Amino acid sequence: MSDAVDRSTPAGTAPPPNPTLVVAVLAFGGIVVSLMQTLVIPIVGQLPRLLDASASDTAWAVTATLLAAAVATPVMGRLGDMYGKRRMLLISMAMLVVGSVVAGLSDSLVPMIVGRALQGLSSGVIPLGISILRDELPAERLGSATAMISASLGVGGALGLPAAALIADNFDWHALFWVSAALGVVALLLVLVLVPESKVRTGGRFDLAGAAGMATGLVCLLLAISKGADWGWTSGTTLGLFAAAVLVLLAWGFFELRVDQPLVDLRTTARPQVLITNLASVAIGFGMFSMSLVIPQLLQLPEPTGYGLGQSLLAAGLVMAPSGLVMMALAPVSALVSRAKGPKVTLMIGALIVAAGYGLNVLLMDQVWHFVLASCVIGAGIGFTYGAMPALIMGAVPASETGAANSLNTLMRSIGTSVASAVAGVVLAQMTTRFGSHVLPSEDGFRTVLALGAGAALVGFAIAAFIPRQRPAGPDTVAAAGPARAPEASGAQA
C-alpha cells in the first residue's frame, strides 16, 4: 500500500496545489470581476425610467463602482500581504456576490448604488491573484501565468458587453445581476476549494489612518475627473475637489513616510523600476480605454450620419469581443518575450502595438471589419503591456509587499482609464455635428480621441524606456518572481 503514496508529500500534509488549476481559477475570477465594468452599459440609458430617478442621479450607478474600486484595490492588497491573500480574495468575491444580490433586488436608486459600490469592492481580485501566483508557482510557470491573469481583465471587459446586451435584450434587467451573482458564487467556491493560502505575510498593524487618507484623496480626485463634465470643469465643486485631492494626498504622503507600518511603503514605491512602471501604467490605462469609448459609439450611430454603421449594442459588443480573446491568446507570447528580453522590452513593444492599432483605426473607420481589425491589434498590445507590468513590479519589491505593490499598479491603470473617459467626454462634447434635431459627436471628434489613445500609448512607450534594465537584487526580492515562502522569503511568521 505504501508504494502508492507520493513520497514527495509528507504524511498528514496537503498535496501541493496544481499550478494549472490555480491559474485557471484565478483567471476565471479575474474575468468575473472585470465583467462588472460593462455590466450596466446596456441599460444605462434606461436607468432613469427603471429607477424613477434623473439621469444625473442614475449615473452614480457607474461612478459608485469606480470610487469603491479605487479605495478597495490598495487596501485589499495591503490586507492580503498582512493577513493572507486568499482570505482577502474570498472576501472580495463575497462582496461581488452580495453587491450583485442587492442590485438584483433593487427597484430604486439607493439600493442600486449600494449594490454597485459593493461590486466595486471586488476589484482587488486580479492583483491579489497575481500575488498568489508569485507565492505558489515555480519560477518557470510564473511569467505566462501572470500574463494570463492580467489578460483576464481585458477578456472580461471585452466579453462582458455582448453578454450583458444579450441578457438585457431577452430578460428582465435584474437578470444581469443575478447572473453576476451566480458567477461570483462559482468563482468563490473554486477559490475556496482549489487555491491555497500563501504563507508569506507581513503581520503587523493595519494603517487605518493611512487608508482613510488615501481613500479621501482618491475619492476627491476621481470624483472630480468623472463628474467634472457634468458639474463644469471650472465650477467651484470640481476645482475644490481637485484642490482637496492635492492637499490630502500630499498630507497622506507626508504621514506615510513617518509611520512604522504604512499602508503603502512610499520608499519602495519610489524605486525607479516601480515608480516609472506605475507612471507608464497611467498612460497605458488611458490608451487602453480610448478604444472602449469610441468604437461602440461609432458602430451604433445611424448610417445616414455618414460615419456611423447603424449596428445594435449586441453587434457592437460582438465586434469588441475578439480583442479580449487576442489578449488571452498572446499572454504566453508576452511571457516568452519577457523571459528572453525582459518585461521592460515587452512593455515597450506592447505600447507600440497599441499605438499602431489606434493609427490603423484613424485611417480605417468605414466597415465593421475595420473595427474588428483595429480592436484586435490594440488588444494584442494591451495583452503585452498587462503581462509585463506585474512582472516589473514583482521584480522590484519584497515578496511580503507583492499584494500592495500590484494593487497600486492596478490603481494607476484605473486612474488612466478615468482620465481617458473625462478627456474623451470633453473632446466629443466640443467637436459635434448636427443630425436632424440631434447634436452628435463629429467624425473628427472620434478621430481625435483615437489619436489621443495612440499618443497616450506612445507616451507610455517613452516613459517605459527609462525603466532600469537591472532589477534590484536582494534577499527579499525575487528577481525571477519565483515562489516565495515564509519565513525565508519575508521574514514574517505564517
Side-chain angles (χ1 to χ4, degrees):
M1 293 289 185
S2 61
D3 291 339
V5 178
D6 183 358
R7 298 181 185 278
S8 64
T9 302
T13 63
N18 184 314
T20 301
L21 285 177
V22 171
V23 173
V25 169
L26 294 175
F28 176 71
I31 291 172
V32 170
V33 169
S34 58
L35 289 173
M36 298 308 106
Q37 297 177 345
T38 51
L39 184 67
V40 298
I41 288 179
I43 61 170
V44 163
Q46 305 173 43
L47 283 178
R49 174 178 59 83
L50 296 173
L51 300 176
D52 192 24
S54 67
S56 60
D57 287 339
T58 57
W60 284 97
V62 177
T63 306
T65 308
L66 168 69
L67 298 180
V71 173
T73 300
V75 169
M76 296 304 285
R78 177 59 178 157
L79 289 172
D81 286 335
M82 295 176 65
Y83 303 118
K85 302 177 183 73
R86 175 178 174 268
R87 180 179 297 174
M88 293 303 117
L89 187 62
L90 289 170
I91 292 174
S92 296
M93 295 305 306
M95 290 298 99
L96 185 148
V97 173
V98 173
S100 298
V101 170
V102 171
L105 293 172
S106 66
D107 285 307
S108 59
L109 182 63
V110 172
M112 171 62 80
I113 292 175
V114 171
R116 289 289 290 163
L118 288 170
Q119 287 182 322
L121 295 179
S122 68
S123 62
V125 163
I126 290 177
L128 285 169
I130 292 172
S131 302
I132 289 173
L133 294 180
R134 182 185 188 181
D135 295 344
E136 299 300 331
L137 263 60
E140 64 272 13
R141 294 286 306 271
L142 186 60
S144 59
T146 298
M148 189 71 69
I149 300 298
S150 298
S152 69
L153 178 65
V155 173
L159 299 182
L161 183 57
L166 184 64
I167 294 171
D169 286 345
N170 293 280
F171 302 95
D172 178 78
W173 66 275
H174 294 91
L176 291 168
F177 300 101
W178 292 118
V179 170
S180 66
L183 291 173
V185 169
V186 172
L188 188 151
L189 292 176
L190 289 174
V191 170
L192 190 64
V193 173
L194 298 173
V195 176
E197 179 59 275
S198 169
K199 298 180 178 64
V200 182
R201 302 189 190 177
T202 61
R205 180 182 302 172
F206 181 69
D207 179 16
L208 186 59
M214 174 178 255
T216 302
L218 288 175
V219 167
C220 290
L221 175 64
L222 293 175
L223 197 55
I225 292 173
S226 61
K227 303 293 285 185
D230 295 332
W231 295 337
W233 292 105
T234 59
S235 70
T237 301
T238 303
L239 294 178
L241 284 170
F242 276 126
V246 171
L247 293 175
V248 170
L249 290 175
L250 284 175
W252 170 79
F254 183 83
F255 174 81
E256 291 292 279
L257 288 172
R258 284 155 180 78
V259 70
D260 290 335
Q261 297 174 331
L263 176 72
V264 177
D265 188 339
L266 293 181
R267 292 179 177 84
T268 299
T269 304
R271 291 177 183 175
Q273 184 161 318
V274 179
L275 177 62
I276 299 174
T277 300
N278 282 334
L279 292 175
S281 298
V282 176
I284 297 298
F286 187 110
M288 179 202 78
F289 203 59
S290 298
M291 169 180 70
S292 301
L293 296 167
V294 169
I295 294 180
Q297 290 193 64
L298 280 170
L299 287 167
Q300 293 178 82
L301 284 174
E303 289 188 77
T305 60
Y307 52 91
L309 298 182
Q311 301 295 311
S312 67
L313 179 61
L314 176 59
L318 291 173
V319 168
M320 300 287 289
S323 66
L325 301 178
V326 169
M327 290 182 208
M328 186 70 78
L330 287 181
V333 180
S334 168
L336 288 174
V337 174
S338 292
R339 184 178 299 178
K341 300 294 184 180
K344 170 185 175 179
V345 173
T346 307
L347 179 59
M348 295 175 71
I349 291 173
L352 288 179
I353 295 174
V354 170
Y358 278 115
L360 193 65
N361 208 177
V362 169
L363 299 174
L364 300 176
M365 294 174 53
D366 299 327
Q367 303 292 329
V368 170
W369 71 266
H370 291 170
F371 293 98
V372 175
L373 175 63
S375 64
C376 284
V377 174
I378 295 169
I382 293 170
F384 269 69
T385 60
Y386 273 24
M389 286 184 284
L392 285 163
I393 295 296
M394 290 190 294
V397 302
S400 57
E401 298 179 16
T402 304
N406 275 325
S407 296
L408 184 62
N409 181 251
T410 300
L411 175 63
M412 293 300 105
R413 281 181 267 169
S414 297
I415 290 175
T417 61
S418 299
V419 173
S421 180
V423 170
V426 170
V427 171
L428 296 179
Q430 295 298 318
M431 303 180 69
T432 60
T433 186
R434 184 165 290 280
F435 178 68
S437 59
H438 301 284
V439 176
L440 301 175
S442 67
E443 184 177 13
D444 287 341
F446 287 116
R447 291 187 190 276
T448 300
V449 176
L450 292 172
L452 288 172
L458 292 175
V459 169
F461 170 85
I463 294 173
F466 291 94
I467 297 173
R469 288 185 177 274
Q470 297 296 325
R471 290 178 290 192
D476 286 331
T477 302
V478 184
R485 295 289 185 272
E488 293 85 0
S490 68
Q493 295 298 320

